Amino acid sequence: MMSAEPIELKCGSSIHTVQMDPETCIREEDCNRTYHLYIPDSLCNAGPESLKEVGTLPLVFAVHCFGCQASAMENFVQVAQHFNFLLVRPEGVQSSWNAKYCCGYALDRNLDDVGFFSRI
Protein backbone atom coordinates (compact mmCIF):
# COMPACT_ATOMS: atom_id res chain seq x y z
CA MET A 1 0.00 0.00 0.00
CA MET A 2 1.29 3.46 -0.85
CA SER A 3 1.85 6.01 1.90
CA ALA A 4 -0.83 8.63 2.46
CA GLU A 5 -0.12 12.26 1.70
CA PRO A 6 -1.08 14.78 4.40
CA ILE A 7 -4.10 16.91 3.58
CA GLU A 8 -4.83 20.51 4.44
CA LEU A 9 -7.59 20.56 7.03
CA LYS A 10 -10.27 23.22 6.75
CA CYS A 11 -13.69 23.77 8.24
CA GLY A 12 -16.74 22.39 6.52
CA SER A 13 -16.76 20.00 3.58
CA SER A 14 -13.86 19.27 1.27
CA ILE A 15 -13.10 16.65 -1.38
CA HIS A 16 -9.88 14.64 -1.40
CA THR A 17 -8.31 11.99 -3.60
CA VAL A 18 -5.98 9.19 -2.59
CA GLN A 19 -3.79 7.24 -4.99
CA MET A 20 -4.04 3.49 -4.50
CA ASP A 21 -1.27 1.01 -5.27
CA PRO A 22 -1.40 0.42 -9.06
CA GLU A 23 -0.96 -3.33 -8.47
CA THR A 24 -4.44 -3.40 -6.88
CA CYS A 25 -6.14 -1.69 -9.85
CA ILE A 26 -6.97 -3.09 -13.25
CA ARG A 27 -7.63 0.32 -14.78
CA GLU A 28 -5.61 3.44 -13.95
CA GLU A 29 -8.76 5.45 -13.17
CA ASP A 30 -9.68 2.89 -10.47
CA CYS A 31 -6.51 3.87 -8.57
CA ASN A 32 -7.67 7.44 -7.89
CA ARG A 33 -10.17 7.15 -5.04
CA THR A 34 -12.24 10.09 -3.80
CA TYR A 35 -13.76 10.89 -0.43
CA HIS A 36 -15.57 13.84 1.14
CA LEU A 37 -14.40 15.06 4.55
CA TYR A 38 -16.46 17.20 6.90
CA ILE A 39 -14.84 18.94 9.88
CA PRO A 40 -17.28 20.53 12.36
CA ASP A 41 -17.03 24.20 13.32
CA SER A 42 -16.14 23.37 16.92
CA LEU A 43 -12.76 22.07 15.82
CA CYS A 44 -12.03 24.85 13.36
CA ASN A 45 -13.17 27.72 15.58
CA ALA A 46 -11.09 26.52 18.52
CA GLY A 47 -7.88 28.39 19.16
CA PRO A 48 -4.77 26.60 20.41
CA GLU A 49 -5.84 27.02 24.04
CA SER A 50 -9.41 25.83 23.56
CA LEU A 51 -8.45 22.77 21.47
CA LYS A 52 -7.81 20.98 24.75
CA GLU A 53 -11.46 21.58 25.66
CA VAL A 54 -12.66 20.19 22.32
CA GLY A 55 -10.68 17.00 22.86
CA THR A 56 -10.62 14.05 20.51
CA LEU A 57 -13.51 13.85 18.08
CA PRO A 58 -15.01 10.62 16.74
CA LEU A 59 -14.43 9.72 13.08
CA VAL A 60 -17.52 8.33 11.32
CA PHE A 61 -17.63 6.77 7.85
CA ALA A 62 -20.97 7.13 6.02
CA VAL A 63 -20.84 4.55 3.21
CA HIS A 64 -23.36 4.81 0.39
CA CYS A 65 -25.29 1.84 -0.92
CA PHE A 66 -24.59 -0.06 -4.14
CA GLY A 67 -25.70 2.05 -7.10
CA CYS A 68 -25.60 5.33 -5.13
CA GLN A 69 -22.95 8.01 -4.66
CA ALA A 70 -21.46 9.71 -1.61
CA SER A 71 -23.91 12.57 -2.12
CA ALA A 72 -26.64 10.20 -0.90
CA MET A 73 -25.03 10.46 2.56
CA GLU A 74 -24.91 14.27 2.59
CA ASN A 75 -27.63 14.49 5.24
CA PHE A 76 -25.05 13.23 7.75
CA VAL A 77 -23.18 16.54 7.48
CA GLN A 78 -25.80 18.26 9.68
CA VAL A 79 -25.65 15.34 12.11
CA ALA A 80 -21.85 15.63 12.28
CA GLN A 81 -22.12 19.34 12.99
CA HIS A 82 -24.75 18.83 15.70
CA PHE A 83 -23.04 15.89 17.42
CA ASN A 84 -19.49 17.15 16.86
CA PHE A 85 -17.76 14.41 14.86
CA LEU A 86 -15.56 14.17 11.78
CA LEU A 87 -17.41 12.70 8.82
CA VAL A 88 -15.95 10.79 5.89
CA ARG A 89 -18.15 9.99 2.90
CA PRO A 90 -16.11 7.71 0.61
CA GLU A 91 -17.01 7.33 -3.06
CA GLY A 92 -17.29 3.79 -4.41
CA VAL A 93 -15.81 3.06 -7.84
CA GLN A 94 -18.70 3.12 -10.32
CA SER A 95 -21.04 3.37 -7.30
CA SER A 96 -19.92 -0.04 -6.06
CA TRP A 97 -17.96 -1.66 -3.23
CA ASN A 98 -15.97 -4.85 -2.91
CA ALA A 99 -18.44 -6.53 -0.54
CA LYS A 100 -19.02 -10.25 -0.23
CA TYR A 101 -22.60 -10.57 -1.50
CA CYS A 102 -23.09 -7.57 -3.72
CA CYS A 103 -21.77 -4.67 -5.41
CA GLY A 104 -20.86 -5.18 -9.03
CA TYR A 105 -17.80 -3.52 -10.52
CA ALA A 106 -15.61 -3.24 -7.38
CA LEU A 107 -16.36 -6.84 -6.38
CA ASP A 108 -15.80 -8.19 -9.91
CA ARG A 109 -12.38 -6.52 -10.06
CA ASN A 110 -11.48 -7.22 -6.42
CA LEU A 111 -10.73 -3.53 -5.74
CA ASP A 112 -9.02 -2.83 -2.42
CA ASP A 113 -11.76 -0.94 -0.56
CA VAL A 114 -10.27 -1.85 2.83
CA GLY A 115 -6.97 -0.36 1.69
CA PHE A 116 -8.87 2.75 0.53
CA PHE A 117 -10.48 3.18 3.95
CA SER A 118 -7.11 2.63 5.63
CA ARG A 119 -5.50 5.30 3.45
CA ILE A 120 -8.16 7.80 4.48
Side-chain angles (χ1 to χ4, degrees), residues 42-43 46-56:
S42 63
L43 186 61
E49 294 300 316
S50 58
L51 275 177
K52 293 177 185 175
E53 294 175 24
V54 172
T56 303

Side-chain angles (χ1 to χ4, degrees), residues 70-81:
S71 59
M73 308 308 282
E74 200 165 311
N75 58 324
F76 283 97
V77 169
Q78 291 177 341
V79 178
Q81 177 65 30

Side-chain angles (χ1 to χ4, degrees), residues 19-113:
Q19 178 70 36
M20 300 299 294
D21 184 343
E23 292 181 17
T24 67
C25 312
I26 293 175
R27 298 180 330 152
E28 185 176 334
E29 54 267 26
D30 295 343
C31 289
N32 295 317
R33 303 294 302 267
T34 303
Y35 67 96
H36 304 256
L37 174 65
Y38 177 78
I39 300 175
D41 293 338
S42 63
L43 186 61
C44 295
N45 293 337
E49 294 300 316
S50 58
L51 275 177
K52 293 177 185 175
E53 294 175 24
V54 172
T56 303
L57 299 182
L59 174 64
V60 176
F61 282 71
V63 180
H64 64 77
C65 64
F66 174 51
C68 296
Q69 297 179 334
S71 59
M73 308 308 282
E74 200 165 311
N75 58 324
F76 283 97
V77 169
Q78 291 177 341
V79 178
Q81 177 65 30
H82 180 76
F83 289 102
N84 207 32
F85 60 83
L86 300 169
L87 176 66
V88 172
R89 296 181 296 124
E91 198 72 69
V93 175
Q94 294 191 13
S95 300
S96 68
W97 299 106
N98 186 356
K100 187 174 182 176
Y101 297 109
C102 77
C103 299
Y105 184 86
L107 177 65
D108 293 344
R109 283 151 186 84
N110 196 29
L111 297 182
D112 187 9
D113 287 329

